[in-house]
mmCIF file of all heavy atoms in Angstrom:
data_model
loop_
_atom_site.group_PDB
_atom_site.id
_atom_site.type_symbol
_atom_site.label_atom_id
_atom_site.label_comp_id
_atom_site.label_asym_id
_atom_site.label_seq_id
_atom_site.Cartn_x
_atom_site.Cartn_y
_atom_site.Cartn_z
ATOM 1 N N GLU B 34 -19.873 40.945 31.163
ATOM 2 C CA GLU B 34 -19.814 39.520 30.740
ATOM 3 C C GLU B 34 -20.989 38.747 31.394
ATOM 4 O O GLU B 34 -21.811 37.953 30.895
ATOM 5 C CB GLU B 34 -18.591 38.832 31.031
ATOM 6 C CG GLU B 34 -18.400 37.393 30.945
ATOM 7 C CD GLU B 34 -17.192 36.935 31.526
ATOM 8 O OE1 GLU B 34 -16.101 37.666 31.509
ATOM 9 O OE2 GLU B 34 -17.075 35.772 32.027
ATOM 10 N N ARG B 35 -21.097 38.976 32.786
ATOM 11 C CA ARG B 35 -22.076 38.199 33.626
ATOM 12 C C ARG B 35 -23.536 38.631 33.291
ATOM 13 O O ARG B 35 -24.429 37.982 33.526
ATOM 14 C CB ARG B 35 -21.704 38.398 35.089
ATOM 15 C CG ARG B 35 -20.421 37.700 35.459
ATOM 16 C CD ARG B 35 -20.556 36.290 35.633
ATOM 17 N NE ARG B 35 -21.140 36.123 36.892
ATOM 18 C CZ ARG B 35 -20.613 35.978 38.036
ATOM 19 N NH1 ARG B 35 -19.348 36.163 38.257
ATOM 20 N NH2 ARG B 35 -21.290 35.916 39.221
ATOM 21 N N ALA B 36 -23.600 39.939 32.889
ATOM 22 C CA ALA B 36 -24.973 40.395 32.646
ATOM 23 C C ALA B 36 -25.344 40.084 31.110
ATOM 24 O O ALA B 36 -26.544 40.248 30.676
ATOM 25 C CB ALA B 36 -25.087 41.925 32.710
ATOM 26 N N GLY B 37 -24.392 39.536 30.388
ATOM 27 C CA GLY B 37 -24.657 39.210 29.052
ATOM 28 C C GLY B 37 -24.839 40.409 28.124
ATOM 29 O O GLY B 37 -25.531 40.426 27.163
ATOM 30 N N LEU B 38 -24.257 41.487 28.475
ATOM 31 C CA LEU B 38 -24.383 42.790 27.817
ATOM 32 C C LEU B 38 -23.025 43.237 27.381
ATOM 33 O O LEU B 38 -22.052 43.229 28.139
ATOM 34 C CB LEU B 38 -25.094 43.816 28.662
ATOM 35 C CG LEU B 38 -26.546 44.074 28.490
ATOM 36 C CD1 LEU B 38 -27.364 42.875 27.980
ATOM 37 C CD2 LEU B 38 -27.055 44.784 29.721
ATOM 38 N N GLY B 39 -22.925 43.844 26.216
ATOM 39 C CA GLY B 39 -21.730 44.441 25.795
ATOM 40 C C GLY B 39 -21.554 45.814 26.520
ATOM 41 O O GLY B 39 -22.466 46.348 27.194
ATOM 42 N N LYS B 40 -20.421 46.386 26.361
ATOM 43 C CA LYS B 40 -20.109 47.670 26.927
ATOM 44 C C LYS B 40 -21.182 48.710 26.569
ATOM 45 O O LYS B 40 -21.665 49.508 27.298
ATOM 46 C CB LYS B 40 -18.750 48.120 26.846
ATOM 47 C CG LYS B 40 -18.091 48.774 28.063
ATOM 48 C CD LYS B 40 -16.756 49.339 27.715
ATOM 49 C CE LYS B 40 -15.624 48.484 28.345
ATOM 50 N NZ LYS B 40 -14.336 49.143 28.338
ATOM 51 N N GLY B 41 -21.409 48.692 25.254
ATOM 52 C CA GLY B 41 -22.363 49.672 24.792
ATOM 53 C C GLY B 41 -23.735 49.673 25.379
ATOM 54 O O GLY B 41 -24.307 50.609 25.961
ATOM 55 N N SER B 42 -24.233 48.400 25.441
ATOM 56 C CA SER B 42 -25.514 48.156 26.020
ATOM 57 C C SER B 42 -25.481 48.469 27.504
ATOM 58 O O SER B 42 -26.563 49.137 28.012
ATOM 59 C CB SER B 42 -25.989 46.717 25.871
ATOM 60 O OG SER B 42 -25.689 46.244 24.545
ATOM 61 N N LEU B 43 -24.452 48.119 28.161
ATOM 62 C CA LEU B 43 -24.343 48.429 29.566
ATOM 63 C C LEU B 43 -24.460 49.962 29.839
ATOM 64 O O LEU B 43 -25.168 50.379 30.708
ATOM 65 C CB LEU B 43 -23.012 47.928 30.154
ATOM 66 C CG LEU B 43 -23.013 47.300 31.556
ATOM 67 C CD1 LEU B 43 -24.137 46.328 31.739
ATOM 68 C CD2 LEU B 43 -21.592 46.678 31.779
ATOM 69 N N TYR B 44 -23.759 50.725 28.963
ATOM 70 C CA TYR B 44 -23.837 52.081 29.234
ATOM 71 C C TYR B 44 -25.046 52.720 28.764
ATOM 72 O O TYR B 44 -25.364 53.893 29.114
ATOM 73 C CB TYR B 44 -22.595 52.768 28.723
ATOM 74 C CG TYR B 44 -21.460 52.872 29.713
ATOM 75 C CD1 TYR B 44 -20.639 51.853 29.932
ATOM 76 C CD2 TYR B 44 -21.283 54.040 30.494
ATOM 77 C CE1 TYR B 44 -19.688 51.990 30.953
ATOM 78 C CE2 TYR B 44 -20.335 54.108 31.423
ATOM 79 C CZ TYR B 44 -19.509 53.094 31.678
ATOM 80 O OH TYR B 44 -18.611 53.171 32.613
ATOM 81 N N HIS B 45 -25.730 52.076 27.889
ATOM 82 C CA HIS B 45 -27.050 52.539 27.315
ATOM 83 C C HIS B 45 -28.051 52.361 28.535
ATOM 84 O O HIS B 45 -28.895 53.288 28.828
ATOM 85 C CB HIS B 45 -27.498 51.845 26.168
ATOM 86 C CG HIS B 45 -28.811 52.346 25.606
ATOM 87 N ND1 HIS B 45 -28.900 53.509 24.799
ATOM 88 C CD2 HIS B 45 -30.064 51.880 25.757
ATOM 89 C CE1 HIS B 45 -30.112 53.736 24.534
ATOM 90 N NE2 HIS B 45 -30.868 52.835 25.150
ATOM 91 N N ALA B 46 -27.980 51.307 29.211
ATOM 92 C CA ALA B 46 -28.942 51.089 30.288
ATOM 93 C C ALA B 46 -28.600 51.776 31.538
ATOM 94 O O ALA B 46 -29.519 52.231 32.307
ATOM 95 C CB ALA B 46 -29.062 49.576 30.583
ATOM 96 N N PHE B 47 -27.264 52.021 31.722
ATOM 97 C CA PHE B 47 -26.842 52.669 32.981
ATOM 98 C C PHE B 47 -25.835 53.795 32.506
ATOM 99 O O PHE B 47 -24.564 53.706 32.697
ATOM 100 C CB PHE B 47 -26.110 51.778 33.892
ATOM 101 C CG PHE B 47 -27.013 50.507 34.261
ATOM 102 C CD1 PHE B 47 -26.958 49.332 33.643
ATOM 103 C CD2 PHE B 47 -27.759 50.635 35.415
ATOM 104 C CE1 PHE B 47 -27.710 48.264 33.976
ATOM 105 C CE2 PHE B 47 -28.641 49.586 35.789
ATOM 106 C CZ PHE B 47 -28.545 48.431 35.090
ATOM 107 N N PRO B 48 -26.463 54.949 32.049
ATOM 108 C CA PRO B 48 -25.558 56.012 31.534
ATOM 109 C C PRO B 48 -24.605 56.533 32.641
ATOM 110 O O PRO B 48 -23.514 56.970 32.339
ATOM 111 C CB PRO B 48 -26.550 57.100 31.154
ATOM 112 C CG PRO B 48 -27.929 56.395 31.066
ATOM 113 C CD PRO B 48 -27.900 55.214 32.077
ATOM 114 N N GLY B 49 -24.944 56.283 33.875
ATOM 115 C CA GLY B 49 -24.017 56.831 34.932
ATOM 116 C C GLY B 49 -22.957 55.834 35.136
ATOM 117 O O GLY B 49 -22.213 56.162 36.187
ATOM 118 N N GLY B 50 -22.813 54.859 34.444
ATOM 119 C CA GLY B 50 -21.646 53.895 34.655
ATOM 120 C C GLY B 50 -21.775 53.029 35.922
ATOM 121 O O GLY B 50 -22.883 52.783 36.364
ATOM 122 N N LYS B 51 -20.631 52.578 36.332
ATOM 123 C CA LYS B 51 -20.535 51.653 37.498
ATOM 124 C C LYS B 51 -21.331 52.134 38.688
ATOM 125 O O LYS B 51 -22.154 51.240 39.362
ATOM 126 C CB LYS B 51 -19.130 51.502 37.854
ATOM 127 C CG LYS B 51 -18.696 50.258 38.504
ATOM 128 C CD LYS B 51 -17.200 50.020 38.486
ATOM 129 C CE LYS B 51 -16.822 49.355 39.696
ATOM 130 N NZ LYS B 51 -15.348 49.024 39.738
ATOM 131 N N ALA B 52 -21.276 53.460 38.994
ATOM 132 C CA ALA B 52 -21.862 53.896 40.101
ATOM 133 C C ALA B 52 -23.454 53.868 40.021
ATOM 134 O O ALA B 52 -24.132 53.473 40.954
ATOM 135 C CB ALA B 52 -21.557 55.483 40.399
ATOM 136 N N GLU B 53 -23.933 54.107 38.766
ATOM 137 C CA GLU B 53 -25.356 53.898 38.658
ATOM 138 C C GLU B 53 -25.841 52.438 38.689
ATOM 139 O O GLU B 53 -26.858 52.044 39.312
ATOM 140 C CB GLU B 53 -25.921 54.552 37.303
ATOM 141 C CG GLU B 53 -27.401 54.453 37.132
ATOM 142 C CD GLU B 53 -27.750 55.169 35.864
ATOM 143 O OE1 GLU B 53 -27.058 56.004 35.274
ATOM 144 O OE2 GLU B 53 -28.954 54.991 35.469
ATOM 145 N N MET B 54 -24.971 51.498 38.243
ATOM 146 C CA MET B 54 -25.270 50.106 38.417
ATOM 147 C C MET B 54 -25.384 49.742 39.945
ATOM 148 O O MET B 54 -26.427 49.057 40.266
ATOM 149 C CB MET B 54 -24.172 49.292 37.782
ATOM 150 C CG MET B 54 -24.059 49.394 36.166
ATOM 151 S SD MET B 54 -22.718 48.637 35.533
ATOM 152 C CE MET B 54 -22.247 49.678 34.140
ATOM 153 N N ALA B 55 -24.483 50.182 40.596
ATOM 154 C CA ALA B 55 -24.497 49.840 42.090
ATOM 155 C C ALA B 55 -25.660 50.502 42.695
ATOM 156 O O ALA B 55 -26.390 49.839 43.638
ATOM 157 C CB ALA B 55 -23.230 50.388 42.735
ATOM 158 N N ASP B 56 -26.029 51.740 42.416
ATOM 159 C CA ASP B 56 -27.316 52.380 42.747
ATOM 160 C C ASP B 56 -28.434 51.541 42.538
ATOM 161 O O ASP B 56 -29.215 51.304 43.425
ATOM 162 C CB ASP B 56 -27.463 53.785 42.214
ATOM 163 C CG ASP B 56 -26.718 54.927 42.975
ATOM 164 O OD1 ASP B 56 -26.509 54.681 44.249
ATOM 165 O OD2 ASP B 56 -26.296 55.884 42.421
ATOM 166 N N ALA B 57 -28.483 51.078 41.308
ATOM 167 C CA ALA B 57 -29.801 50.347 40.955
ATOM 168 C C ALA B 57 -29.790 49.028 41.693
ATOM 169 O O ALA B 57 -30.826 48.524 42.148
ATOM 170 C CB ALA B 57 -29.733 50.077 39.403
ATOM 171 N N VAL B 58 -28.616 48.442 41.857
ATOM 172 C CA VAL B 58 -28.603 47.162 42.613
ATOM 173 C C VAL B 58 -29.026 47.289 44.027
ATOM 174 O O VAL B 58 -29.848 46.560 44.589
ATOM 175 C CB VAL B 58 -27.150 46.545 42.620
ATOM 176 C CG1 VAL B 58 -26.938 45.415 43.671
ATOM 177 C CG2 VAL B 58 -26.934 45.947 41.159
ATOM 178 N N LEU B 59 -28.517 48.439 44.682
ATOM 179 C CA LEU B 59 -28.926 48.676 46.108
ATOM 180 C C LEU B 59 -30.367 48.990 46.120
ATOM 181 O O LEU B 59 -31.106 48.524 47.101
ATOM 182 C CB LEU B 59 -28.095 49.843 46.604
ATOM 183 C CG LEU B 59 -26.633 49.571 46.812
ATOM 184 C CD1 LEU B 59 -25.723 50.721 47.230
ATOM 185 C CD2 LEU B 59 -26.419 48.492 48.099
ATOM 186 N N ASP B 60 -30.881 49.793 45.200
ATOM 187 C CA ASP B 60 -32.378 50.010 45.226
ATOM 188 C C ASP B 60 -33.105 48.708 45.116
ATOM 189 O O ASP B 60 -34.155 48.649 45.838
ATOM 190 C CB ASP B 60 -32.667 50.935 43.965
ATOM 191 C CG ASP B 60 -32.386 52.413 44.188
ATOM 192 O OD1 ASP B 60 -32.155 52.770 45.443
ATOM 193 O OD2 ASP B 60 -32.422 53.156 43.372
ATOM 194 N N SER B 61 -32.679 47.884 44.200
ATOM 195 C CA SER B 61 -33.456 46.630 44.001
ATOM 196 C C SER B 61 -33.448 45.832 45.298
ATOM 197 O O SER B 61 -34.471 45.269 45.742
ATOM 198 C CB SER B 61 -32.838 45.905 42.817
ATOM 199 O OG SER B 61 -32.915 44.529 43.027
ATOM 200 N N ILE B 62 -32.300 45.738 45.971
ATOM 201 C CA ILE B 62 -32.134 44.902 47.191
ATOM 202 C C ILE B 62 -33.017 45.564 48.228
ATOM 203 O O ILE B 62 -33.857 44.901 48.942
ATOM 204 C CB ILE B 62 -30.731 44.908 47.652
ATOM 205 C CG1 ILE B 62 -29.870 44.038 46.647
ATOM 206 C CG2 ILE B 62 -30.718 44.401 49.067
ATOM 207 C CD1 ILE B 62 -28.494 43.981 47.036
ATOM 208 N N GLY B 63 -33.021 46.947 48.350
ATOM 209 C CA GLY B 63 -33.862 47.662 49.414
ATOM 210 C C GLY B 63 -35.269 47.347 49.169
ATOM 211 O O GLY B 63 -36.085 47.054 50.059
ATOM 212 N N ALA B 64 -35.647 47.317 47.890
ATOM 213 C CA ALA B 64 -37.116 47.160 47.552
ATOM 214 C C ALA B 64 -37.520 45.819 47.931
ATOM 215 O O ALA B 64 -38.578 45.606 48.403
ATOM 216 C CB ALA B 64 -37.410 47.467 46.130
ATOM 217 N N TRP B 65 -36.683 44.818 47.656
ATOM 218 C CA TRP B 65 -37.062 43.509 47.917
ATOM 219 C C TRP B 65 -37.280 43.252 49.463
ATOM 220 O O TRP B 65 -38.232 42.667 49.841
ATOM 221 C CB TRP B 65 -35.924 42.469 47.458
ATOM 222 C CG TRP B 65 -36.278 41.064 47.520
ATOM 223 C CD1 TRP B 65 -36.930 40.251 46.609
ATOM 224 C CD2 TRP B 65 -36.079 40.218 48.715
ATOM 225 N NE1 TRP B 65 -37.141 39.017 47.109
ATOM 226 C CE2 TRP B 65 -36.720 38.882 48.364
ATOM 227 C CE3 TRP B 65 -35.503 40.422 49.938
ATOM 228 C CZ2 TRP B 65 -36.664 37.918 49.286
ATOM 229 C CZ3 TRP B 65 -35.544 39.241 50.783
ATOM 230 C CH2 TRP B 65 -36.020 38.041 50.507
ATOM 231 N N PHE B 66 -36.345 43.693 50.181
ATOM 232 C CA PHE B 66 -36.441 43.568 51.728
ATOM 233 C C PHE B 66 -37.688 44.255 52.246
ATOM 234 O O PHE B 66 -38.426 43.741 52.992
ATOM 235 C CB PHE B 66 -35.122 44.031 52.407
ATOM 236 C CG PHE B 66 -34.033 42.871 52.467
ATOM 237 C CD1 PHE B 66 -33.242 42.804 51.446
ATOM 238 C CD2 PHE B 66 -34.034 42.206 53.603
ATOM 239 C CE1 PHE B 66 -32.249 41.716 51.498
ATOM 240 C CE2 PHE B 66 -33.025 41.162 53.786
ATOM 241 C CZ PHE B 66 -32.224 40.944 52.604
ATOM 242 N N GLU B 67 -37.839 45.436 51.694
ATOM 243 C CA GLU B 67 -39.081 46.225 52.098
ATOM 244 C C GLU B 67 -40.386 45.420 51.820
ATOM 245 O O GLU B 67 -41.232 45.306 52.634
ATOM 246 C CB GLU B 67 -39.109 47.561 51.315
ATOM 247 C CG GLU B 67 -40.354 48.345 51.515
ATOM 248 C CD GLU B 67 -40.579 48.755 52.973
ATOM 249 O OE1 GLU B 67 -39.559 49.069 53.643
ATOM 250 O OE2 GLU B 67 -41.707 48.812 53.448
#
Side-chain angles (χ1 to χ4, degrees):
Chain B
E34 175 192 329
R35 295 277 288 272
L38 257 35
K40 217 184 252 196
S42 315
L43 215 50
Y44 267 82
H45 182 78
F47 303 92
K51 206 168 142 176
E53 184 174 342
M54 297 176 211
D56 268 335
V58 165
L59 288 172
D60 279 347
S61 148
I62 291 176
W65 187 90
F66 274 84
E67 173 60 35

